[in-house]
Amino acid sequence: MTSTVVVGGFFGDEGKGKIISYLAIKDNPSIIVRGGAGPNAGHTIRDGDRVYKVRMLPSGFLNKNAKVMIGPGVVINPDVLLKEIRDFDASGRSFIDKHCGIIEETHLTRDSKGDLKEKIGSTGSGTGPANADRAMRVLKLAKDFDSLSSLIVDVPEEINSAISKNENVLIEGTQGTFLSLWHGTYPFVTSKDVTASGICADIGLGPKNVDEVIVVFKSYVTRVGTGPLANELTLEQAQSKGWSEFGTVTGRQRRAADFDFDLARRAIMLNSATQISITKLDVIFPSCAGMTSYDNLPEEAKSFIQNIERELNIPVTIIGTGPAIDDVIDRRS
Ligand code: IMP
Ligand code: MG
């Protein structure tokens, strides 16, 4: 197995960041490469006592032996990226493609008002307006900025060459399947396709070079911003279940609902999933907290997982049991 794509199966915030950082250390890929929209994504990673909140850098940056890259389909906020590279000690091993789009002041301004802000509930990160400008062929690209020149490599060339040498490459999606511009709950979606195919297009990887597609589902569904959420709980119900969460980028309270099998089935289809990852099992079954062995799980947690495998017909291989990167049950043989 050489190339693994990890994408979100619901509305983002499934816990991809934690799963990707686990895989980045466990599988020791030579490259971890990010596709997806832009700095509208937020990943929270906990390593021991340290909590990292990343918006631009691939979540696999904790593996210091790996190169981290951002594919040409992604739009970058240079201030956010350069700060994360500095703060997270990732210089010399962080790279972008010359065709990455660049978010400027105008995009932030346009994203902080009007329909995008009020109707869609955008993150205000400038991602949508930058992608709109790209479609209009007026967006500036990374190659137009001297301050970024030392970060630029040919990302598609690097990853395809690593794969042809049988090195592991980990491909990191952002957002979630139902925030996809093509397949989500339009117009309440992000500004790109964020299914596995879209993520691969973002980084320049063709469909025949993908070995595994891991779709990450949280044990329940959350959604931040507006748009439909079937069987949405009231705030009080979500709080009493311990499901009340706040967004990494916006700090907004996330809306919540039970695990949704209809959405999950469709996400499996749209992403051609080969494996499922389930996160936050400990939030539903607190006695699972920190467990690393499937056999030790309580019966009710095992039947929750078995039911997902039966309904979706794909193996649940990686289970998150807590916020730290090694709070994981790994059932891959
Ligand atoms: P935009 O991507 O900032 O334009 O926001 C469009 C919609 O997608 C809003 O409902 C956002 O809350 C949502 N969204 C964008 N990125 C993420 C993410 O990474 N996690 C969760 N929701 C997101
Ligand atoms: Mg997030």
Side-chain angles (χ1 to χ4, degrees), residues 219-222 229-233 243 255-260:
S219 298
Y220 46 99
V221 184
T222 59
L229 178 61
N231 304 313
E232 182 171 357
L233 302 178
W243 298 358
R255 302 150 63 200
D258 280 312
F259 191 93
D260 187 327

Side-chain angles (χ1 to χ4, degrees), residues 155-172:
V155 170
E157 173 66 36
E158 294 274 338
I159 57 180
N160 282 283
S161 131
I163 288 170
S164 71
K165 287 186 273 185
N166 268 333
E167 294 173 9
N168 280 344
V169 173
L170 181 58
I171 298 132
E172 167 172 344

Side-chain angles (χ1 to χ4, degrees), residues 265-323:
R265 238 173 256 117
R266 195 164 174 84
I268 296 295
M269 173 186 83
L270 291 169
N271 293 294
S272 65
T274 61
Q275 301 176 43
I276 293 170
S277 172
I278 298 291
T279 61
K280 299 214 178 189
L281 192 67
D282 57 303
V283 175
I284 306 239
F285 304 108
S287 64
C288 301
M291 281 193 178
T292 53
S293 142
Y294 184 80
D295 292 340
N296 294 343
L297 288 178
E299 281 312 314
E300 51 177 1
K302 280 187 190 156
S303 51
F304 179 80
I305 298 291
Q306 283 158 7
N307 189 37
I308 289 174
E309 292 189 318
R310 198 166 42 239
E311 291 283 334
L312 304 180
N313 217 9
I314 304 276
V316 173
T317 51
I318 300 172
I319 302 169
T321 58

Side-chain angles (χ1 to χ4, degrees), residues 96-231:
I96 64 178
D97 192 84
K98 69 177 177 185
H99 288 155
C100 289
I102 298 299
I103 295 175
E104 296 191 272
E105 205 52 47
T106 163
H107 305 113
L108 294 169
T109 312
R110 281 150 60 193
D111 207 10
S112 61
K113 58 183 188 206
D115 269 3
L116 280 179
K117 191 77 217 167
E118 276 127 44
K119 178 178 164 202
I120 309 300
S122 81
T123 58
S125 58
T127 305
N131 279 321
D133 276 2
R134 187 155 183 164
M136 296 299 287
R137 269 56 57 82
V138 295
L139 187 70
K140 289 187 186 152
L141 303 182
K143 64 183 168 61
D144 302 321
F145 293 80
D146 285 344
S147 59
L148 298 173
S149 60
S150 66
L151 301 178
I152 289 177
V153 296
D154 184 337
V155 170
E157 173 66 36
E158 294 274 338
I159 57 180
N160 282 283
S161 131
I163 288 170
S164 71
K165 287 186 273 185
N166 268 333
E167 294 173 9
N168 280 344
V169 173
L170 181 58
I171 298 132
E172 167 172 344
T174 59
Q175 286 82 33
T177 298
F178 298 100
L179 289 178
S180 162
L181 184 60
W182 306 156
H183 305 291
T185 54
Y186 186 89
F188 305 103
V189 293
T190 191
S191 49
K192 297 273 303 283
D193 176 32
V194 288
T195 61
S197 315
I199 299 298
C200 289
D202 287 342
I203 62 165
L205 186 65
K208 287 175 68 179
N209 279 332
V210 176
D211 297 309
E212 297 288 336
V213 178
I214 303 180
V215 174
V216 183
F217 298 113
K218 194 150 60 181
S219 298
Y220 46 99
V221 184
T222 59
R223 172 159 208 174
V224 58
T226 52
L229 178 61
N231 304 313

